[in-house]
Amino acid sequence: MKQWKIKNLLACENAAGRIRVMGWVRTRRDSRGFSFLEINDGSCLANLQVIADDGLDGYEQVKKLTTGSAVAVEGALGQSPGKGQKWELAADRVEILQTAPNDYPLQKKRHSDEFLRTIAHLRPRTNKYGAAFRIRSALAFAVHAFFREKGFVCIHTPILTGSDCEGAGALFSATTLDPTNFSPAGNKDAFAGDFFGQKVNLTVSGQLSAEMFALSLGNVYTFGPAFRAENSNTRRHAAEFWMVEPEMAFCDLAGDMDNAEELIKYLISRAMIECKEDLSLFFKYVDKDLEKRLETILEKDFLRISYEEAVCLLEKSGADFKYDISWGKELQTEHERFLTDTHFKGPVIVYDYPADIKPFYMRVNDDGRTVAAMDVLMPGIGEIIGGSQREERLDILESRMKKTGIDTAPYWWYIDSRRFGSIVHSGYGLGFERLIMLVTGISNIRDVIAFPRTPGNIAF
Ligand code: 4AD
Ligand code: MG
C-alpha cells in the first residue's frame, strides 16, 4: 500500500484509493460512534482529518490518543463534507506508534515565542515554526536556483580558517588543546603544539576564499555558516548564522548592487509562489502588513543613495536618535530604520562609506577617503546585505592593510592573487536569517534558526 505525505494527498484531484499516512496527532475529538483525529506529518501546514469509527480494532485505544502521539493510519480517502478541506480519511486501521503523555508541552493553545525557545527541540511541531522552517528550506533551494540559472559556480569555502576576513576580531578559536592547560594570551607559541600548529578560528565569512575562485572561474558563490563572537544580544545577531556570498569577476559596485537587488526580489517572489500556504499563516497571524510590504519591495526599484547623502538627511531629519550621526560614524540600526521605515518607506542601498569604518578589502574610491562599499537596508530589518567592490590594486591593498595595522602574514595568498591578472571584481554577503525574517515577518533571529546560538546560550 502506498505511503503518502499529507501534502501530496491534499493536492490530489481524484480519490487515491486505499492509502497509508503516518504522523502526529494534533487534536482528537470524539462524538457518538466516532473519533475525529487531526493528523499532521510536517509535509505541509494543513492537517488531515481522520475518522475512526467504533467498529475499528482497538477503538478503545484510539479514544485515548493524546496530542503529540504518533500514529500510522490506513483507509480510504473520501470527499470531506466539511468546508475548508477536500479530502478526509475513513480509517480502517489505526496503528498507535506511541502515545504521548499528558505533559506534552504543546497543547492546543497559543504559546509565546519566548516559551517556545525553551523547548526548541519541540517547537518545529507547531504550525508557525513548521511553516517557518519549510519556508527556510524553500528559500535555501531558491538561492542555489538563482545562481545556477545565472551560471554561477557553487564553491564550498572552508569553515576552519587562519585569517579574519572582516578584521573585526570577533573570532571563535578552534583548538584541540585543553584550555585548562595552556594560556594563549600573548603567547605566540602556545599554538605550536596544536592540531594545525598555529592559531585557527571558525570562519566569519567565506569571501576571501570565494574571491580566489571568482578570479579563476568568473562568477561564483558560497552559501554556508559563519561564526561571530560579537557580544551583541540583539534581535538580529546570532553567533552562528548562514550567509550567501556571491563574488563576481569583471563586475563593479553598480553591478554588485544590481545582482543583490535581483536576488532579493527573486527570493521573495519564489517564496510567494512556492510557499503560499505557509506564508498565509504569517500574513494572518504574525504581521498584518507583511503581504503588502513584500509586494511593495517587488514592485519598485531599490533606492540608492551615498553614505554622505544619507548622513546629511539624517542630520537634517530632526529625529531624536540615541546615537549621534555625522560623517565618519557608523550608521546604527536606528539610523538605518529611519531611512527605510520612516523616510523612504522601502528598501535603500547606501554606498560609498568612509574607508575608516570598513574592512581592508574594500576598494578605495578616487576621493581617497571613501570605499566602494554598499549595504542593502530593508524595512523592518535594517542591514540585510553588506558588500563591496574589492581592492584589486596590489600597492593600495598592501598600504591600506599596513595603515590599519593588520598582520599581513595570514593573508599572503590573498595579497598574492593581486599579482597575477588582477581585475575589477565585487561581491556581497546576504544574511540568510535576516532574509527569512524579512519574508516571514518574524522579528527575532532566534526564531528562524533551528537551534540558535547567542551569547551565553547553547542549550540544545
Ligand atoms: O556586512 P557583513 O559583515 O559582510 C561580510 O561578512 C562580507 N565579507 C560579505 C561579502 O562581501 N562577501 O555581513 C554580511 C551580512 C550582513 O549584512 C548581515 O545580514 C549578516 O551578514 N550578518 C549577520 N546575521 C546574523 N548574525 C550576525 N551576527 C551577523 N553578522 C552579519
Ligand atoms: Mg555589514
Side-chain angles (χ1 to χ4, degrees):
M1 188 183 336
K2 192 171 169 196
Q3 157 110 29
W4 285 77
K5 286 289 177 195
I6 291 173
K7 179 186 171 143
N8 301 331
L9 260 187
L10 295 180
C12 273
E13 285 299 324
N14 303 305
R18 205 160 165 275
I19 56 139
R20 177 180 169 87
V21 165
M22 298 171 93
W24 294 271
V25 176
R26 283 292 177 82
T27 59
R28 195 198 75 244
R29 179 168 58 82
D30 298 326
S31 76
R32 209 147 39 111
F34 294 99
S35 204
F36 296 95
L37 303 171
E38 293 284 331
I39 307 292
N40 191 283
D41 68 359
S43 61
C44 61
L45 187 63
N47 302 324
L48 177 69
Q49 168 146 297
V50 171
I51 301 143
D53 70 57
D54 57 7
L56 269 185
D57 271 359
Y59 184 67
E60 281 315 304
Q61 294 310 310
V62 171
K63 268 177 61 178
K64 289 185 193 145
L65 275 172
T66 48
T67 299
S69 297
V71 291
V73 184
E74 293 170 16
L77 202 63
Q79 297 271 350
S80 172
K83 56 179 183 314
Q85 205 163 81
K86 192 167 169 193
W87 301 112
E88 61 184 23
L89 184 64
D92 53 40
R93 184 160 177 248
V94 176
E95 187 185 336
I96 298 172
L97 303 174
Q98 195 195 33
T99 306
N102 283 326
D103 62 352
Y104 181 60
L106 298 173
Q107 298 300 332
K108 201 181 157 65
K109 64 164 196 167
R110 217 74 172 260
H111 299 285
S112 74
D113 293 326
E114 288 76 14
F115 168 69
L116 291 171
R117 265 172 234 150
T118 68
I119 51 164
H121 59 306
L122 298 175
R123 67 178 179 171
R125 301 184 188 196
T126 64
N127 281 342
K128 178 174 163 185
Y129 287 83
F133 288 98
R134 278 188 298 270
I135 292 172
R136 183 171 171 137
S137 165
L139 284 172
F141 187 79
V143 164
H144 289 292
F146 175 84
F147 288 113
R148 189 161 176 81
E149 281 165 23
K150 289 189 172 301
F152 281 55
V153 178
C154 176
I155 308 294
H156 298 133
T157 52
I159 306 291
L160 296 171
T161 62
S163 58
D164 175 6
C165 172
E166 295 306 297
L171 304 173
F172 285 104
S173 60
T175 175
T176 55
L177 296 176
D178 178 352
T180 56
N181 276 338
F182 85 124
S183 56
N187 177 3
K188 265 201 145 170
D189 297 327
F191 293 98
D194 201 353
F195 190 90
F196 295 104
Q198 65 161 83
K199 191 171 175 355
V200 167
N201 51 270
L202 302 182
T203 186
V204 295
S205 157
Q207 176 197 326
L208 303 187
S209 315
E211 278 189 55
M212 300 307 105
F213 281 81
L215 298 178
S216 332
L217 305 183
N219 289 339
V220 302
Y221 71 104
T222 177
F223 180 13
F227 306 85
R228 295 192 187 180
E230 300 160 300
N231 206 357
S232 41
N233 243 315
T234 77
R235 294 165 163 276
R236 321 181 305 151
H237 289 89
E240 178 176 333
F241 62 98
W242 280 59
M243 225 195 311
V244 179
E245 296 182 278
E247 202 59 45
M248 296 167 279
F250 312 107
C251 174
D252 63 9
L253 188 67
D256 205 30
M257 295 194 245
D258 292 343
N259 186 278
E261 179 169 345
E262 200 183 330
L263 173 65
I264 289 179
K265 287 179 169 167
Y266 177 90
L267 295 175
I268 292 175
S269 46
R270 281 285 289 259
M272 288 178 94
I273 294 165
E274 283 171 30
C275 310
K276 259 200 166 74
E277 187 193 29
D278 285 327
L279 265 183
S280 69
L281 179 149
F282 295 94
F283 295 162
K284 247 201 238 152
Y285 301 115
V286 173
D287 183 345
K288 295 255 188 296
D289 301 325
L290 179 62
E291 185 169 19
K292 183 95 199 45
R293 187 156 73 244
L294 294 179
E295 276 163 3
T296 322
I297 293 171
L298 291 180
E299 274 160 22
K300 284 194 268 175
D301 288 345
F302 292 6
L303 201 103
R304 301 180 186 191
I305 60 167
S306 71
Y307 167 89
E308 187 156 329
E309 290 169 287
V311 168
C312 273
L313 197 149
L314 291 164
E315 281 174 328
K316 284 192 201 133
S317 71
D320 186 22
F321 295 123
K322 192 164 149 232
Y323 293 90
D324 276 350
I325 185 71
S326 59
W327 201 96
K329 291 203 169 121
E330 303 260 13
L331 294 184
Q332 302 292 336
T333 306
E334 57 175 345
H335 304 129
E336 295 172 347
R337 296 285 298 271
F338 179 86
L339 296 173
T340 52
D341 297 21
T342 311
H343 192 82
F344 294 113
K345 298 190 176 18
V348 179
I349 308 183
V350 179
Y351 59 90
D352 288 352
Y353 282 73
D356 289 347
I357 57 168
K358 288 292 184 186
F360 68 89
Y361 55 72
M362 295 189 175
R363 191 181 194 278
V364 178
N365 286 323
D366 291 344
D367 62 13
R369 60 176 202 150
T370 62
V371 286
M374 63 104 175
D375 276 3
V376 180
L377 314 179
M378 280 293 170
I381 306 280
E383 179 190 340
I384 192 169
I385 282 180
S388 76
Q389 191 171 320
R390 316 307 190 190
E391 185 55 80
E392 83 283 14
R393 298 161 298 187
L394 179 63
D395 52 337
I396 297 177
L397 178 65
E398 281 185 314
S399 70
R400 187 146 179 254
M401 288 179 90
K402 283 212 181 81
K403 222 175 78 188
T404 48
I406 295 175
D407 173 15
T408 52
Y411 304 90
W412 69 271
W413 50 278
Y414 184 80
I415 297 165
D416 199 45
S417 71
R418 273 41 179 180
R419 296 175 56 222
F420 314 111
S422 194
I423 47 134
V424 168
H425 64 289
S426 302
Y428 60 84
L430 164 69
F432 191 57
E433 284 76 17
R434 294 196 186 165
L435 172 84
I436 311 300
M437 292 166 74
L438 176 75
V439 169
T440 58
I442 290 177
S443 58
N444 195 312
I445 196 165
R446 290 164 181 78
D447 300 334
V448 297
I449 298 177
F451 296 103
R453 276 84 178 86
T454 50
N457 177 12
I458 189 157
F460 296 91

mmCIF file of all heavy atoms in Angstrom, residues 55-95:
data_model
loop_
_atom_site.group_PDB
_atom_site.id
_atom_site.type_symbol
_atom_site.label_atom_id
_atom_site.label_comp_id
_atom_site.label_asym_id
_atom_site.label_seq_id
_atom_site.Cartn_x
_atom_site.Cartn_y
_atom_site.Cartn_z
ATOM 1 N N GLY A 55 -16.259 0.664 15.253
ATOM 2 C CA GLY A 55 -16.099 -0.723 14.819
ATOM 3 C C GLY A 55 -14.637 -1.122 14.622
ATOM 4 O O GLY A 55 -14.310 -2.282 14.389
ATOM 5 N N LEU A 56 -13.758 -0.152 14.712
ATOM 6 C CA LEU A 56 -12.318 -0.426 14.461
ATOM 7 C C LEU A 56 -11.703 -1.308 15.524
ATOM 8 O O LEU A 56 -12.054 -1.193 16.703
ATOM 9 C CB LEU A 56 -11.543 0.899 14.494
ATOM 10 C CG LEU A 56 -11.354 1.673 13.223
ATOM 11 C CD1 LEU A 56 -10.456 2.856 13.522
ATOM 12 C CD2 LEU A 56 -10.749 0.804 12.136
ATOM 13 N N ASP A 57 -10.762 -2.151 15.096
ATOM 14 C CA ASP A 57 -9.959 -2.899 16.060
ATOM 15 C C ASP A 57 -9.215 -1.917 16.952
ATOM 16 O O ASP A 57 -8.586 -0.987 16.443
ATOM 17 C CB ASP A 57 -8.887 -3.729 15.316
ATOM 18 C CG ASP A 57 -9.422 -5.094 14.951
ATOM 19 O OD1 ASP A 57 -10.599 -5.372 15.293
ATOM 20 O OD2 ASP A 57 -8.661 -5.861 14.325
ATOM 21 N N GLY A 58 -9.284 -2.112 18.228
ATOM 22 C CA GLY A 58 -8.527 -1.256 19.164
ATOM 23 C C GLY A 58 -9.116 0.139 19.308
ATOM 24 O O GLY A 58 -8.416 1.082 19.662
ATOM 25 N N TYR A 59 -10.429 0.284 19.030
ATOM 26 C CA TYR A 59 -11.053 1.616 19.115
ATOM 27 C C TYR A 59 -10.896 2.237 20.506
ATOM 28 O O TYR A 59 -10.738 3.454 20.640
ATOM 29 C CB TYR A 59 -12.533 1.529 18.726
ATOM 30 C CG TYR A 59 -13.212 2.872 18.701
ATOM 31 C CD1 TYR A 59 -12.864 3.827 17.748
ATOM 32 C CD2 TYR A 59 -14.187 3.193 19.649
ATOM 33 C CE1 TYR A 59 -13.476 5.070 17.747
ATOM 34 C CE2 TYR A 59 -14.803 4.436 19.650
ATOM 35 C CZ TYR A 59 -14.439 5.368 18.694
ATOM 36 O OH TYR A 59 -15.031 6.603 18.695
ATOM 37 N N GLU A 60 -10.913 1.376 21.526
ATOM 38 C CA GLU A 60 -10.776 1.894 22.895
ATOM 39 C C GLU A 60 -9.447 2.643 23.066
ATOM 40 O O GLU A 60 -9.377 3.662 23.738
ATOM 41 C CB GLU A 60 -10.859 0.749 23.921
ATOM 42 C CG GLU A 60 -12.291 0.283 24.199
ATOM 43 C CD GLU A 60 -13.245 1.451 24.405
ATOM 44 O OE1 GLU A 60 -12.966 2.283 25.285
ATOM 45 O OE2 GLU A 60 -14.263 1.547 23.671
ATOM 46 N N GLN A 61 -8.391 2.120 22.412
ATOM 47 C CA GLN A 61 -7.078 2.783 22.486
ATOM 48 C C GLN A 61 -7.070 4.074 21.682
ATOM 49 O O GLN A 61 -6.485 5.078 22.083
ATOM 50 C CB GLN A 61 -5.971 1.847 21.970
ATOM 51 C CG GLN A 61 -5.735 0.611 22.830
ATOM 52 C CD GLN A 61 -5.569 0.964 24.295
ATOM 53 O OE1 GLN A 61 -4.796 1.838 24.654
ATOM 54 N NE2 GLN A 61 -6.335 0.296 25.162
ATOM 55 N N VAL A 62 -7.742 4.033 20.518
ATOM 56 C CA VAL A 62 -7.821 5.242 19.681
ATOM 57 C C VAL A 62 -8.455 6.379 20.484
ATOM 58 O O VAL A 62 -8.013 7.527 20.420
ATOM 59 C CB VAL A 62 -8.657 4.962 18.400
ATOM 60 C CG1 VAL A 62 -8.943 6.255 17.640
ATOM 61 C CG2 VAL A 62 -7.941 3.956 17.504
ATOM 62 N N LYS A 63 -9.449 6.030 21.283
ATOM 63 C CA LYS A 63 -10.142 7.065 22.061
ATOM 64 C C LYS A 63 -9.280 7.653 23.175
ATOM 65 O O LYS A 63 -9.646 8.647 23.801
ATOM 66 C CB LYS A 63 -11.442 6.502 22.647
ATOM 67 C CG LYS A 63 -12.614 6.775 21.692
ATOM 68 C CD LYS A 63 -13.919 6.196 22.159
ATOM 69 C CE LYS A 63 -14.390 6.760 23.489
ATOM 70 N NZ LYS A 63 -15.709 6.163 23.858
ATOM 71 N N LYS A 64 -8.121 7.003 23.393
ATOM 72 C CA LYS A 64 -7.213 7.535 24.420
ATOM 73 C C LYS A 64 -6.054 8.319 23.793
ATOM 74 O O LYS A 64 -5.146 8.759 24.502
ATOM 75 C CB LYS A 64 -6.650 6.381 25.253
ATOM 76 C CG LYS A 64 -7.686 5.750 26.168
ATOM 77 C CD LYS A 64 -7.025 4.690 27.042
ATOM 78 C CE LYS A 64 -8.098 3.843 27.718
ATOM 79 N NZ LYS A 64 -7.676 2.447 27.852
ATOM 80 N N LEU A 65 -6.067 8.435 22.481
ATOM 81 C CA LEU A 65 -4.938 9.123 21.822
ATOM 82 C C LEU A 65 -4.845 10.579 22.268
ATOM 83 O O LEU A 65 -5.851 11.287 22.309
ATOM 84 C CB LEU A 65 -5.091 9.057 20.301
ATOM 85 C CG LEU A 65 -4.560 7.786 19.631
ATOM 86 C CD1 LEU A 65 -4.946 7.757 18.159
ATOM 87 C CD2 LEU A 65 -3.043 7.688 19.794
ATOM 88 N N THR A 66 -3.631 10.987 22.589
ATOM 89 C CA THR A 66 -3.408 12.348 23.079
ATOM 90 C C THR A 66 -2.679 13.185 22.029
ATOM 91 O O THR A 66 -2.075 12.634 21.097
ATOM 92 C CB THR A 66 -2.504 12.300 24.325
ATOM 93 O OG1 THR A 66 -1.399 11.452 24.006
ATOM 94 C CG2 THR A 66 -3.231 11.768 25.531
ATOM 95 N N THR A 67 -2.719 14.476 22.209
ATOM 96 C CA THR A 67 -1.964 15.394 21.357
ATOM 97 C C THR A 67 -0.476 15.046 21.442
ATOM 98 O O THR A 67 0.040 14.844 22.535
ATOM 99 C CB THR A 67 -2.178 16.840 21.830
ATOM 100 O OG1 THR A 67 -3.566 17.139 21.714
ATOM 101 C CG2 THR A 67 -1.390 17.827 20.988
ATOM 102 N N GLY A 68 0.154 14.941 20.272
ATOM 103 C CA GLY A 68 1.579 14.617 20.241
ATOM 104 C C GLY A 68 1.859 13.140 20.002
ATOM 105 O O GLY A 68 3.002 12.770 19.747
ATOM 106 N N SER A 69 0.822 12.295 20.079
ATOM 107 C CA SER A 69 1.031 10.859 19.844
ATOM 108 C C SER A 69 1.340 10.596 18.376
ATOM 109 O O SER A 69 0.932 11.350 17.498
ATOM 110 C CB SER A 69 -0.234 10.086 20.230
ATOM 111 O OG SER A 69 -0.490 10.242 21.601
ATOM 112 N N ALA A 70 2.037 9.492 18.130
ATOM 113 C CA ALA A 70 2.382 9.142 16.749
ATOM 114 C C ALA A 70 1.536 7.959 16.295
ATOM 115 O O ALA A 70 1.362 6.994 17.034
ATOM 116 C CB ALA A 70 3.861 8.794 16.660
ATOM 117 N N VAL A 71 1.014 8.064 15.068
ATOM 118 C CA VAL A 71 0.143 7.004 14.541
ATOM 119 C C VAL A 71 0.447 6.709 13.083
ATOM 120 O O VAL A 71 0.998 7.546 12.362
ATOM 121 C CB VAL A 71 -1.357 7.407 14.628
ATOM 122 C CG1 VAL A 71 -1.828 7.453 16.071
ATOM 123 C CG2 VAL A 71 -1.602 8.737 13.921
ATOM 124 N N ALA A 72 0.072 5.503 12.662
ATOM 125 C CA ALA A 72 0.003 5.166 11.235
ATOM 126 C C ALA A 72 -1.449 4.823 10.965
ATOM 127 O O ALA A 72 -2.057 4.063 11.728
ATOM 128 C CB ALA A 72 0.908 3.982 10.930
ATOM 129 N N VAL A 73 -2.005 5.437 9.935
ATOM 130 C CA VAL A 73 -3.430 5.250 9.658
ATOM 131 C C VAL A 73 -3.603 4.728 8.245
ATOM 132 O O VAL A 73 -2.944 5.211 7.312
ATOM 133 C CB VAL A 73 -4.191 6.590 9.811
ATOM 134 C CG1 VAL A 73 -5.679 6.371 9.622
ATOM 135 C CG2 VAL A 73 -3.922 7.207 11.162
ATOM 136 N N GLU A 74 -4.480 3.755 8.094
ATOM 137 C CA GLU A 74 -4.789 3.254 6.758
ATOM 138 C C GLU A 74 -6.289 3.353 6.525
ATOM 139 O O GLU A 74 -7.079 3.256 7.466
ATOM 140 C CB GLU A 74 -4.355 1.792 6.623
ATOM 141 C CG GLU A 74 -2.841 1.638 6.665
ATOM 142 C CD GLU A 74 -2.412 0.178 6.786
ATOM 143 O OE1 GLU A 74 -3.255 -0.713 6.533
ATOM 144 O OE2 GLU A 74 -1.240 -0.042 7.140
ATOM 145 N N GLY A 75 -6.631 3.555 5.268
ATOM 146 C CA GLY A 75 -8.058 3.640 4.967
ATOM 147 C C GLY A 75 -8.290 4.199 3.588
ATOM 148 O O GLY A 75 -7.361 4.296 2.777
ATOM 149 N N ALA A 76 -9.540 4.582 3.359
ATOM 150 C CA ALA A 76 -9.908 5.106 2.041
ATOM 151 C C ALA A 76 -10.085 6.608 2.125
ATOM 152 O O ALA A 76 -10.661 7.136 3.076
ATOM 153 C CB ALA A 76 -11.194 4.447 1.571
ATOM 154 N N LEU A 77 -9.566 7.258 1.116
ATOM 155 C CA LEU A 77 -9.697 8.710 1.059
ATOM 156 C C LEU A 77 -11.053 9.041 0.453
ATOM 157 O O LEU A 77 -11.441 8.468 -0.564
ATOM 158 C CB LEU A 77 -8.580 9.246 0.156
ATOM 159 C CG LEU A 77 -8.192 10.699 0.334
ATOM 160 C CD1 LEU A 77 -7.642 10.940 1.721
ATOM 161 C CD2 LEU A 77 -7.154 11.085 -0.707
ATOM 162 N N GLY A 78 -11.782 9.942 1.081
ATOM 163 C CA GLY A 78 -13.083 10.307 0.530
ATOM 164 C C GLY A 78 -13.281 11.803 0.581
ATOM 165 O O GLY A 78 -12.564 12.517 1.297
ATOM 166 N N GLN A 79 -14.243 12.276 -0.196
ATOM 167 C CA GLN A 79 -14.568 13.703 -0.197
ATOM 168 C C GLN A 79 -15.002 14.098 1.210
ATOM 169 O O GLN A 79 -15.796 13.402 1.834
ATOM 170 C CB GLN A 79 -15.732 13.970 -1.151
ATOM 171 C CG GLN A 79 -15.428 13.645 -2.603
ATOM 172 C CD GLN A 79 -14.828 14.827 -3.339
ATOM 173 O OE1 GLN A 79 -14.818 15.932 -2.813
ATOM 174 N NE2 GLN A 79 -14.328 14.588 -4.538
ATOM 175 N N SER A 80 -14.490 15.205 1.685
ATOM 176 C CA SER A 80 -14.870 15.679 3.010
ATOM 177 C C SER A 80 -16.138 16.516 2.904
ATOM 178 O O SER A 80 -16.204 17.430 2.085
ATOM 179 C CB SER A 80 -13.729 16.512 3.585
ATOM 180 O OG SER A 80 -14.152 17.122 4.762
ATOM 181 N N PRO A 81 -17.139 16.206 3.715
ATOM 182 C CA PRO A 81 -18.355 17.018 3.669
ATOM 183 C C PRO A 81 -18.137 18.383 4.323
ATOM 184 O O PRO A 81 -18.834 19.336 4.024
ATOM 185 C CB PRO A 81 -19.369 16.185 4.458
ATOM 186 C CG PRO A 81 -18.545 15.337 5.371
ATOM 187 C CD PRO A 81 -17.208 15.137 4.718
ATOM 188 N N GLY A 82 -17.138 18.468 5.214
ATOM 189 C CA GLY A 82 -16.858 19.728 5.911
ATOM 190 C C GLY A 82 -16.280 20.751 4.949
ATOM 191 O O GLY A 82 -15.822 20.401 3.866
ATOM 192 N N LYS A 83 -16.323 22.017 5.363
ATOM 193 C CA LYS A 83 -15.752 23.015 4.462
ATOM 194 C C LYS A 83 -14.251 23.193 4.760
ATOM 195 O O LYS A 83 -13.767 22.799 5.813
ATOM 196 C CB LYS A 83 -16.497 24.347 4.561
ATOM 197 C CG LYS A 83 -16.575 24.949 5.951
ATOM 198 C CD LYS A 83 -17.323 26.266 5.849
ATOM 199 C CE LYS A 83 -17.438 27.054 7.111
ATOM 200 N NZ LYS A 83 -17.803 26.527 8.345
ATOM 201 N N GLY A 84 -13.551 23.752 3.813
ATOM 202 C CA GLY A 84 -12.134 24.032 4.038
ATOM 203 C C GLY A 84 -11.232 22.985 3.429
ATOM 204 O O GLY A 84 -10.202 23.299 2.865
ATOM 205 N N GLN A 85 -11.620 21.719 3.538
ATOM 206 C CA GLN A 85 -10.715 20.702 3.032
ATOM 207 C C GLN A 85 -11.450 19.741 2.108
ATOM 208 O O GLN A 85 -12.588 19.379 2.343
ATOM 209 C CB GLN A 85 -10.127 19.941 4.206
ATOM 210 C CG GLN A 85 -8.810 19.323 3.865
ATOM 211 C CD GLN A 85 -8.071 18.933 5.142
ATOM 212 O OE1 GLN A 85 -8.343 17.892 5.727
ATOM 213 N NE2 GLN A 85 -7.136 19.771 5.558
ATOM 214 N N LYS A 86 -10.728 19.321 1.070
ATOM 215 C CA LYS A 86 -11.358 18.482 0.072
ATOM 216 C C LYS A 86 -11.452 17.022 0.513
ATOM 217 O O LYS A 86 -12.441 16.357 0.278
ATOM 218 C CB LYS A 86 -10.532 18.588 -1.208
ATOM 219 C CG LYS A 86 -11.202 17.997 -2.430
ATOM 220 C CD LYS A 86 -10.473 18.409 -3.695
ATOM 221 C CE LYS A 86 -11.008 17.590 -4.871
ATOM 222 N NZ LYS A 86 -10.159 17.722 -6.048
ATOM 223 N N TRP A 87 -10.407 16.538 1.176
ATOM 224 C CA TRP A 87 -10.321 15.109 1.468
ATOM 225 C C TRP A 87 -10.285 14.817 2.959
ATOM 226 O O TRP A 87 -9.779 15.593 3.744
ATOM 227 C CB TRP A 87 -9.035 14.524 0.856
ATOM 228 C CG TRP A 87 -8.915 14.680 -0.613
ATOM 229 C CD1 TRP A 87 -8.016 15.457 -1.283
ATOM 230 C CD2 TRP A 87 -9.714 14.050 -1.602
ATOM 231 N NE1 TRP A 87 -8.207 15.344 -2.634
ATOM 232 C CE2 TRP A 87 -9.245 14.481 -2.868
ATOM 233 C CE3 TRP A 87 -10.795 13.153 -1.570
ATOM 234 C CZ2 TRP A 87 -9.810 14.059 -4.076
ATOM 235 C CZ3 TRP A 87 -11.351 12.731 -2.769
ATOM 236 C CH2 TRP A 87 -10.862 13.189 -3.999
ATOM 237 N N GLU A 88 -10.842 13.648 3.302
ATOM 238 C CA GLU A 88 -10.650 13.133 4.654
ATOM 239 C C GLU A 88 -10.436 11.628 4.545
ATOM 240 O O GLU A 88 -10.724 11.007 3.511
ATOM 241 C CB GLU A 88 -11.845 13.458 5.545
ATOM 242 C CG GLU A 88 -13.137 12.844 5.063
ATOM 243 C CD GLU A 88 -14.337 13.246 5.908
ATOM 244 O OE1 GLU A 88 -14.274 14.294 6.580
ATOM 245 O OE2 GLU A 88 -15.336 12.513 5.879
ATOM 246 N N LEU A 89 -9.917 11.056 5.615
ATOM 247 C CA LEU A 89 -9.562 9.645 5.572
ATOM 248 C C LEU A 89 -10.478 8.850 6.502
ATOM 249 O O LEU A 89 -10.516 9.107 7.704
ATOM 250 C CB LEU A 89 -8.098 9.476 6.003
ATOM 251 C CG LEU A 89 -7.515 8.077 5.923
ATOM 252 C CD1 LEU A 89 -7.468 7.592 4.485
ATOM 253 C CD2 LEU A 89 -6.095 8.071 6.497
ATOM 254 N N ALA A 90 -11.207 7.906 5.929
ATOM 255 C CA ALA A 90 -12.018 6.997 6.746
ATOM 256 C C ALA A 90 -11.124 5.817 7.109
ATOM 257 O O ALA A 90 -10.802 4.980 6.264
ATOM 258 C CB ALA A 90 -13.245 6.534 5.962
ATOM 259 N N ALA A 91 -10.718 5.777 8.375
ATOM 260 C CA ALA A 91 -9.707 4.788 8.770
ATOM 261 C C ALA A 91 -10.313 3.391 8.872
ATOM 262 O O ALA A 91 -11.414 3.224 9.395
ATOM 263 C CB ALA A 91 -9.096 5.186 10.103
ATOM 264 N N ASP A 92 -9.597 2.399 8.340
ATOM 265 C CA ASP A 92 -9.986 1.031 8.676
ATOM 266 C C ASP A 92 -8.925 0.374 9.554
ATOM 267 O O ASP A 92 -9.062 -0.752 9.998
ATOM 268 C CB ASP A 92 -10.309 0.198 7.429
ATOM 269 C CG ASP A 92 -9.208 0.224 6.404
ATOM 270 O OD1 ASP A 92 -8.029 0.180 6.796
ATOM 271 O OD2 ASP A 92 -9.522 0.297 5.193
ATOM 272 N N ARG A 93 -7.842 1.124 9.801
ATOM 273 C CA ARG A 93 -6.808 0.617 10.698
ATOM 274 C C ARG A 93 -6.059 1.804 11.307
ATOM 275 O O ARG A 93 -5.634 2.715 10.579
ATOM 276 C CB ARG A 93 -5.843 -0.249 9.885
ATOM 277 C CG ARG A 93 -4.808 -0.887 10.723
ATOM 278 C CD ARG A 93 -4.159 -2.098 10.082
ATOM 279 N NE ARG A 93 -3.137 -2.540 11.004
ATOM 280 C CZ ARG A 93 -1.817 -2.463 10.772
ATOM 281 N NH1 ARG A 93 -1.363 -2.067 9.629
ATOM 282 N NH2 ARG A 93 -0.963 -2.817 11.708
ATOM 283 N N VAL A 94 -5.947 1.842 12.603
ATOM 284 C CA VAL A 94 -5.137 2.868 13.266
ATOM 285 C C VAL A 94 -4.086 2.160 14.112
ATOM 286 O O VAL A 94 -4.417 1.421 15.030
ATOM 287 C CB VAL A 94 -5.993 3.790 14.165
ATOM 288 C CG1 VAL A 94 -5.102 4.781 14.912
ATOM 289 C CG2 VAL A 94 -7.030 4.540 13.339
ATOM 290 N N GLU A 95 -2.840 2.337 13.735
ATOM 291 C CA GLU A 95 -1.754 1.709 14.476
ATOM 292 C C GLU A 95 -1.145 2.784 15.373
ATOM 293 O O GLU A 95 -0.717 3.835 14.877
ATOM 294 C CB GLU A 95 -0.726 1.203 13.469
ATOM 295 C CG GLU A 95 0.380 0.369 14.055
ATOM 296 C CD GLU A 95 1.423 0.014 12.991
ATOM 297 O OE1 GLU A 95 1.092 0.010 11.785
ATOM 298 O OE2 GLU A 95 2.585 -0.220 13.380
#
